[in-house]
Amino acid sequence: GENVEQHPSTLSVQEGDSAVIKCTYSDSASNYFPWYKQELGKGPQLIIDIRSNVGEKKDQRIAVTLNKTAKHFSLHITETQPEDSAVYFCAATSDTDKLIFGTGTRLQVFP
Amino acid sequence: GAGVSQSPSNKVTEKGKDVELRCDPISGHTALYWYRQSLGQGLEFLIYFQGNSAPDKSGLPSDRFSAERTGGSVSTLTIQRTQQEDSAVYLCASSLDATVNTEAFFGQGTRLTVV
């Protein structure tokens, strides 16, 4: 089955700097890669997703890149703000299969 | 409309007792997931219901854990003879389509404490 690894486990950046979180997956059949943000005491919320037919997707300050050959994908947050502080999870799956999550990255943005 | 609703939000139970956790998915969503999140940890997959197909139970940690989804809507996760290591937040999520992956919406979770 699918296995997703995520790095780093914690990340501290200064406000305004960029943050990058990286994930690798094992199942070459995976074709959907969402990223979730979890704030304290809340359930995770989708912030961006990418399918295997594209290599990059951007939404304002957030972008995701996918390298299917190497089986890794990354989340890029530019111009970080204190409200970006949260735990971020990557996930991977194929059609009709279950979502498997990475172990999470705790991002802290210092003013 | 309403999002994914889970109840209770908090549950304290004595070791050895059975507990039932409830999930009301978003209306019309055909896929439903249960995950377990221990303190400060990641999302551990438990079970996945996908439309009318047989559920994927491969993540259930022991035979003390079971789940049902009645009428393709509400789901109940049951833990029998609870142990202290079962203490965690149990998260439910639903998504619109079980044949092509779409956004999974999470509930707020049920925090289970076994004393």
Side-chain angles (χ1 to χ4, degrees):
Chain A
E2 179 65 274
N3 182 52
V4 178
E5 296 191 356
Q6 182 171 348
H7 301 280
S9 56
T10 60
L11 180 59
S12 296
V13 300
Q14 203 74 32
E15 182 178 0
D17 287 351
S18 295
V20 180
I21 302 170
K22 299 182 178 182
C23 289
T24 60
Y25 62 99
S26 61
D27 188 351
S28 56
S30 288
N31 60 2
Y32 177 63
F33 308 91
W35 286 88
Y36 282 79
K37 176 183 181 182
Q38 186 177 30
E39 296 177 334
L40 198 61
K42 297 184 178 181
Q45 276 195 303
L46 182 77
I47 54 171
I48 194 167
D49 57 11
I50 190 168
R51 297 184 189 273
S52 58
N53 56 345
V54 297
E56 184 173 359
K57 184 176 178 180
K58 190 173 181 181
D59 182 4
Q60 299 183 339
R61 297 186 296 108
I62 294 173
V64 58
T65 59
L66 171 65
N67 182 328
K68 284 216 73 179
T69 303
K71 288 193 278 189
H72 65 69
F73 56 114
S74 301
L75 177 72
H76 304 252
I77 306 174
T78 59
E79 300 171 28
T80 52
Q81 301 168 3
E83 52 265 36
D84 294 329
S85 296
V87 179
Y88 291 81
F89 292 97
C90 62
T93 186
S94 58
D95 286 342
T96 75
D97 206 350
K98 56 190 176 285
L99 263 178
I100 296 299
F101 285 85
T103 48
T105 297
R106 182 173 300 277
L107 173 66
Q108 289 184 302
V109 181
F110 293 97
Chain B
V4 177
S5 177
Q6 291 188 245
S7 60
S9 53
N10 281 283
K11 176 72 176 179
V12 180
T13 190
E14 291 181 352
K15 178 181 172 181
K17 301 274 188 176
D18 298 352
V19 294
E20 283 190 354
L21 312 180
R22 178 186 169 104
C23 173
D24 281 273
I26 295 172
S27 178
H29 279 197
T30 57
L32 187 147
Y33 302 83
W34 283 98
Y35 292 90
R36 178 169 69 177
Q37 188 172 32
S38 300
L39 187 63
Q41 299 302 307
L43 300 168
E44 177 189 4
F45 166 76
L46 296 177
I47 188 168
Y48 172 40
F49 296 91
Q50 40 179 331
N52 295 322
S53 301
D56 182 338
K57 303 180 181 181
S58 60
L60 295 178
S62 77
D63 58 7
R64 297 187 295 106
F65 288 73
S66 63
E68 289 185 342
R69 188 176 186 193
T70 54
S73 182
V74 171
S75 178
T76 302
L77 177 69
T78 301
I79 309 173
Q80 296 179 307
R81 305 181 301 281
T82 51
Q83 304 295 313
Q84 287 186 327
E85 59 263 29
D86 299 334
S87 296
V89 175
Y90 289 82
L91 289 161
C92 174
S94 71
S95 64
L96 180 62
D97 197 324
T99 58
V100 176
N101 276 296
T102 55
E103 178 178 358
F105 294 83
F106 280 84
Q108 296 279 67
T110 293
R111 180 175 298 278
L112 175 66
T113 304
V114 182
V115 296

